[in-house]
Amino acid sequence: MAALFMKKSSKAELETFYPIRPECKEDIPKTRFKLRAGKTLSARRWQAAFSEEGHLDIAKVLRRIQRGGVHPSIKGVVWEFLLGCYDPNSTYEERNTLRQHRREQYYSWKAECQKMVPVIGSGKFITAAIITDNGQPMEESTDEDMRDNGIMSTSSINSDKKVIQWKLLLHQIGLDVVRTDRALVFYESEANQAKLWDILSVYAWLNNDIGYVQGMNDICSPMVILLYDEADAFWCFERAMRRLRENFRCSSSSIGVQAQLGTLSQIIKAIDPKLHQHLEDLDGGEYLFAFRMLMVLFRREFSFVDALYLWELMWAMEYNPNIFSLYERAIAGSDTSTAAEVDDKVLKQCGKFERKNVKTGCTDSHSALAVFLVASVLETKNKKLLKEAKGLDDVVQILGDITGNLDAKKACNEALKIHKKYLKKTQKT
């Protein structure tokens, strides 16, 4: 009876954090994640992991996350550490100073963007193009309504190539924002949609080499929901993009995620040559059917709650305590004389997946845990693919069946086994 009550209360509690619009409940994948006392990282356990000054026992936190994920009430602040926004060895005071500095930095960038397009920061966003390809204002944008919404800047349009390139992206971001996590009550609010649009617009302005690519909205959305302050959500997204940005780098001849697809091909070839050959025979040797899984980290294959659970499991398993200093170039010291001494300490603070990489000296950035996760999905469907897939459409359909039926923790553990197996094979050769 108590177990049944726990089950019900866990589900009800999750629904209070991420309420679903009643009309969408039937259409979304079912949620498998459950809050488990003694396994899930709770707010109490999280607080207890800090010393008086604010140093975080990250090894203890990682162990807990890898066992049962993070309670929704603290997800946002935990993610900030998992993604390298903060150094676990920093104090409360140091983090508060850094947080304040980052907020000021973000809002000054946002003000810069607002000067060019006043609708930014207004609580509204756009879904129609505001300029032509050569930088001229769209004729329909000059009417009274558009002016009232602050879309048109009073200053003459800047013909600078970077500005034009950026302004051309803004309506595309808006169109994607409208489609983002529509089943959640959170996005019934235009102000919340505008917050997502603002963050993506500022990011695209600062990173014009990548700009904005569809899928970034799916990565950013949870940060907007989990972190109340827009600037904090921006930095969390910025850190997530540090590890994912190459996936979004597209050129006329290649897609960014291609390198990871190439690694996936090598992994399956090494651990399951029969399946690899079968996919080759079906013209699927480039593994393009796995494109979406890698691009948006399984957002489509899981319910919203399960996707967040999967991400924090992956980030905890991939965690390396040096990521903060790697990201904060200015803070990273050049003295490596103590490197040998801290090896063991660093190893203890690494997640399961990263520890294996550090021990074996594997530094291939295309071998993210997500790639092994896709490999684990293919392995679970191995028999079905070999028996029933007569063409690429069949492969896509068989893999489509996993939507809502994947167990995040099981999939991650399978991915770790495949990673271990793959390292063994490749080290022999």
Side-chain angles (χ1 to χ4, degrees), residues 131-159:
I131 59 167
T132 61
D133 287 352
N134 61 1
Q136 294 306 306
M138 296 297 271
E139 276 178 39
E140 63 269 29
S141 300
T142 57
D143 67 28
E144 290 294 305
D145 293 343
M146 298 297 245
R147 278 190 214 278
D148 291 345
N149 279 342
I151 290 167
M152 290 305 295
S153 172
T154 46
S155 60
S156 59
I157 217 94
N158 188 331
S159 59

Side-chain angles (χ1 to χ4, degrees), residues 33 92 122 194 197 219 221 230 233 291 300 315 337 343 380 399:
F33 174 69
Y92 289 126
S122 69
W197 184 73
I219 304 297
S221 170
E230 191 183 306
F291 171 86
R300 300 285 185 277
W315 293 335
S337 57
D343 263 4
T380 57
L399 294 178

Side-chain angles (χ1 to χ4, degrees), residues 402-415:
I402 65 171
T403 302
N405 296 313
L406 262 188
D407 181 308
K409 192 173 182 186
K410 210 180 270 182
C412 278
N413 287 333
E414 283 306 309

Side-chain angles (χ1 to χ4, degrees), residues 192-254:
N192 287 338
Q193 289 183 314
K195 200 191 261 196
L196 177 60
W197 184 73
D198 285 348
I199 291 174
L200 292 167
S201 301
V202 173
Y203 184 84
W205 170 247
L206 296 170
N207 296 273
N208 69 311
D209 58 326
I210 285 181
Y212 170 79
V213 180
Q214 202 170 28
M216 287 183 185
N217 52 314
D218 291 307
I219 304 297
C220 187
S221 170
M223 281 82 175
V224 175
I225 294 168
L226 297 177
L227 290 154
Y228 179 74
D229 191 287
E230 191 183 306
D232 298 345
F234 169 84
W235 285 105
C236 204
F237 171 63
E238 193 272 343
R239 288 301 191 253
M241 284 300 293
R242 295 267 181 148
R243 58 177 75 203
L244 294 169
R245 58 184 282 134
E246 290 312 309
N247 285 0
F248 291 96
R249 196 184 288 282
C250 298
S251 71
S252 52
S253 58
S254 71

